[in-house]
Amino acid sequence: MFSLPDQLLVLVLLINFITIGTSRLVFSIRAVAVQGVILGILPGLIHPFSWHLVAIMVGILVIKGVIIPLLLGRAIRSAEIKREVEPFMGYVPTLLLGALFTALSFGFAGKLPLLPEHQNYLFVPASIATLMSGFLILTTRRKAISQVLGYLVLENGIFIFGLLLAEAMPLMVEAGVLLDLLVGTFVMGIVINHISREFSSLDTSRLTSLKEE
């Protein structure tokens, strides 16, 4: 019988597949937002109550679940795009690769010398699988907005692994990481708007044709 944290981690893995397999950008943004909300809940399920923990959870829920999705939603409305039409790799092969990476993540995590209190959770395999899913999205999509989503999923994978160390990490370090993520997404939103204005497209492969005059 899976514990509640493990059930939520399975949901995180399913969201990885949804994000990999859909071309609808609004749907992908909502899926990543739900993933952020789940990551905001998880620390409260595996660590004892403390105000440090509450601050982490509130910060994650607000930034990953609300602010970043709003920024990305505004970016795609400004650029007037709805779908990732022609990715570098088709959706079915990408999904198959995602499934392969997920299976390999479970196999690899099973061979790691984990602490006894961490062995009964899916945090490590879910972390590696989410990180690889983000990398897959980042490298197989043409649209800049899709690559931002890949970066967010990749960061979520790193964050899941960091949950095992939540008690050892100072609050200011975590706040700094969340702030960097927020600023990075905000800057990418501005960059996306400028790319859309100059090239009438968000296909990053066209940037390779730029050269000095």
Side-chain angles (χ1 to χ4, degrees), residues 144 190-204 207:
I190 295 172
V191 172
I192 287 168
N193 282 333
H194 281 285
I195 293 175
S196 177
R197 283 182 194 170
E198 296 297 328
F199 299 98
S200 300
S201 170
L202 290 179
D203 187 343
T204 54
L207 297 179

Side-chain angles (χ1 to χ4, degrees), residues 161-173:
F161 191 80
L163 285 176
L164 299 176
L165 307 171
E167 290 179 328
M169 292 178 68
L171 176 61
M172 291 307 295
V173 174

Side-chain angles (χ1 to χ4, degrees), residues 11-31:
L11 195 54
V12 167
L13 294 175
L14 291 176
I15 291 173
N16 290 343
F17 286 112
I18 290 172
T19 312
I20 289 173
T22 183
S23 64
R24 295 175 57 191
L25 294 174
V26 173
F27 192 60
S28 295
I29 291 172
R30 288 175 181 168

